[in-house]
């Protein structure tokens, strides 16, 4: 097996004198704060070099859903992550087929319970947001889970548009999309607010009572989407690159991220962060008025916007 943390070609050990002899293998990893490795006599390894680092897909012999697919998805995912977050600095990245629900991340290695590309992207995004940028996962879970899941939504938005993947309903119903992807994403957070169970996104993981599976994983991506809306696409993309480059292989927290956001955008975002991360205020606006009338060179629209929730965002 290729354990996480091993440099490509970095394992070394003497060949066993006989088939029954023990073998000692040593591994070395730099700039990691965690590690894992996997081994199985039924593992199959598919690998290649991409962008000067080793990419491996390791799966069980019987799991044909991984063969000739996960390695391709892994490369496609790493190419996208490098575009949005910057160069991948480790010497290898490994996706391993494991009997687990969902996935788990370690520097240079992810364990996945399926070949799903969204799951793979989430876990590989953790190579940046948790691996390269070492936050305290217990105190500020949103800093890694929120960023990793936002990458999944961001990528889906780019690949499929505002409505997400193709409608699975039969024709002609599939021609009439019902709602934007982000409307569906926000539903579990909205439900917590409606039922009085909403918790702060920045709640430490061990203090959540109801919303650990929702607020860091969905609430935080909604916060990042609102941040992008507030600072603009160009500034947001520069923020992510600057954040990764400046803080790579160091410990990060909310203040580190906010300082980069304010520097790049030129905006004071203290109240913005406080509202979204440290309160349970709900973000709810509606169009209260929309009147259109013809004028000399076209049309004029009069729009009224009403804030129904407590959270204030620039419009």
């Amino acid at each position: 097996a290729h354990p996480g943390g091993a440099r490509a070609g970095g394992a070394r050990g003497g060949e066993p004198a006989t088939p029954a002899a023990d073998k000692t293998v040593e591994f070395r990893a730099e700039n990691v704060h965690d590690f894992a490795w996997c081994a199985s006599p039924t593992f199959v390894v598919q690998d290649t070099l991409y962008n000067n680092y080793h990419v491996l897909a390791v799966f069980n012999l019987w799991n044909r859903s991984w063969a000739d697919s996960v390695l391709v998805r892994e490369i496609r995912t790493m190419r996208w992550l490098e575009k949005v977050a910057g160069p991948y600095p480790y010497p290898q990245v490994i996706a391993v087929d494991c009997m687990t629900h969902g996935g788990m991340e370690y520097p240079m290695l992810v364990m996945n319970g399926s070949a799903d590309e969204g799951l793979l992207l989430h876990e590989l995004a953790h190579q940046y947001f948790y691996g390269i940028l070492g936050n305290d996962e217990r105190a500020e879970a949103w800093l890694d889970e929120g960023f990793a899941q936002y990458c999944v939504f961001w990528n889906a938005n780019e690949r499929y548009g505002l409505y997400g993947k193709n409608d699975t309903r039969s024709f002609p119903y599939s021609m009439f999309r019902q709602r934007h992807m982000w409307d569906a994403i926000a539903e579990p957070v909205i439900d917590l607010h409606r039922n009085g169970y909403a918790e702060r996104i920045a709640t430490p993981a061990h203090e959540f009572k109801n919303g650990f599976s929702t607020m860091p994983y969905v609430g935080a991506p909604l916060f990042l989407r609102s941040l992008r809306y507030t600072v603009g696409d160009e500034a947001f993309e520069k923020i992510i690159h600057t954040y990764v480059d400046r803080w790579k292989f160091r410990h990060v927290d909310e203040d580190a991220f906010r300082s980069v956001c304010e520097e790049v955008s030129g905006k004071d975002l203290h109240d913005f962060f406080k509202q979204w991360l440290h309160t349970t205020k709900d973000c709810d606006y509606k169009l209260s008025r929309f009147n259109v009338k013809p004028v000399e060179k076209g049309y004029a629209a009069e729009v009224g916007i009403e804030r129904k929730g407590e959270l204030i965002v620039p419009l």
Side-chain angles (χ1 to χ4, degrees), residues 195-217:
N195 295 317
Y197 292 116
E199 295 173 273
R200 298 176 299 110
I201 292 171
T203 300
H206 57 285
E207 294 181 11
F208 274 105
K209 293 180 175 62
N210 307 291
F212 178 71
S213 63
T214 303
M215 301 312 292
Y217 289 84

Side-chain angles (χ1 to χ4, degrees), residues 15-310:
E15 289 299 318
T18 68
D22 291 335
K23 180 179 180 179
T24 300
V25 183
E26 297 178 5
F27 299 93
R28 174 182 175 84
E30 297 178 2
N31 293 316
V32 300
H33 53 83
D34 196 1
F35 75 93
W37 63 279
C38 303
S40 171
T42 62
F43 272 160
V44 175
V45 178
Q46 291 183 326
D47 67 322
T48 189
L49 284 174
Y50 171 73
N51 234 6
N52 295 319
Y53 55 88
H54 204 189
V55 182
L56 304 97
V58 180
F59 53 93
N60 289 293
L61 186 64
W62 60 82
N63 199 343
R64 304 309 299 169
S65 65
W66 278 61
D68 302 319
S69 62
V70 169
L71 186 65
V72 173
R73 294 169 186 168
E74 205 174 348
I75 294 169
R76 181 162 58 220
T77 296
M78 293 307 297
R79 181 185 297 123
W80 185 82
L81 285 169
E82 289 197 282
K83 182 187 77 171
V84 301
Y88 180 69
Y90 289 127
Q92 65 182 27
V93 61
I94 312 166
V96 184
D97 167 23
C98 289
M99 291 180 285
T100 181
H101 177 71
M104 188 61 202
E105 69 279 356
Y106 303 88
M108 289 184 261
L109 182 147
V110 299
M111 301 180 188
N112 279 19
S114 80
D116 179 76
E117 190 158 0
L119 174 63
L120 184 65
L121 197 158
H122 176 96
E123 303 306 338
L124 290 176
H126 276 307
Q127 296 301 311
Y128 288 85
F129 307 106
Y130 144 84
I132 297 167
L133 301 169
N135 66 295
D136 184 332
E137 293 178 285
R138 182 169 174 170
E140 296 181 294
W142 70 273
L143 267 176
D144 56 280
E145 297 299 351
F147 277 75
Q149 193 59 24
Y150 179 76
C151 284
V152 176
F153 300 148
W154 184 358
N155 178 268
N157 218 148
E158 284 191 2
R159 291 182 68 181
Y160 305 110
L162 279 176
Y163 290 94
K165 290 185 178 181
N166 293 334
D167 199 323
T168 57
R169 294 176 300 164
S170 61
F171 181 84
Y173 304 105
S174 59
M175 299 292 293
F176 304 97
R177 308 305 295 271
Q178 292 181 301
R179 57 181 177 176
H180 287 177
M181 181 184 78
W182 282 99
D183 293 337
I185 289 168
E187 272 191 355
V189 173
I190 293 170
D191 285 343
L192 285 178
H193 278 280
R194 283 176 174 163
N195 295 317
Y197 292 116
E199 295 173 273
R200 298 176 299 110
I201 292 171
T203 300
H206 57 285
E207 294 181 11
F208 274 105
K209 293 180 175 62
N210 307 291
F212 178 71
S213 63
T214 303
M215 301 312 292
Y217 289 84
V218 183
L222 293 173
F223 156 71
L224 290 171
R225 183 176 185 239
S226 184
L227 175 65
R228 183 170 188 161
Y229 171 80
T230 300
V231 302
D233 290 345
E234 185 177 344
F236 182 82
E237 291 173 14
K238 186 177 179 181
I239 283 169
I240 299 301
H241 276 270
T242 304
Y243 177 49
V244 173
D245 183 61
R246 181 172 300 171
W247 288 93
K248 61 188 174 188
F249 304 134
R250 298 166 65 189
H251 293 291
V252 295
D253 55 18
E254 178 187 328
D255 289 341
F257 180 58
R258 180 164 60 85
S259 67
V260 173
C261 293
E262 291 183 331
E263 176 188 320
V264 173
S265 69
K267 297 177 182 289
D268 181 352
L269 297 169
H270 178 271
D271 289 343
F272 179 87
F273 272 63
K274 182 179 179 180
Q275 285 187 106
W276 270 99
L277 300 174
H278 298 281
T279 75
T280 55
K281 292 180 178 180
D282 58 321
C283 184
D284 189 2
Y285 285 81
K286 80 168 188 176
L287 285 177
S288 60
R289 183 173 72 257
F290 191 85
N291 300 316
V292 180
K293 61 182 180 181
V295 293
E296 185 178 347
K297 294 184 178 181
Y299 294 87
E302 180 187 358
V303 180
I305 300 175
E306 178 184 340
R307 178 168 62 85
K308 298 176 66 180
E310 295 178 290

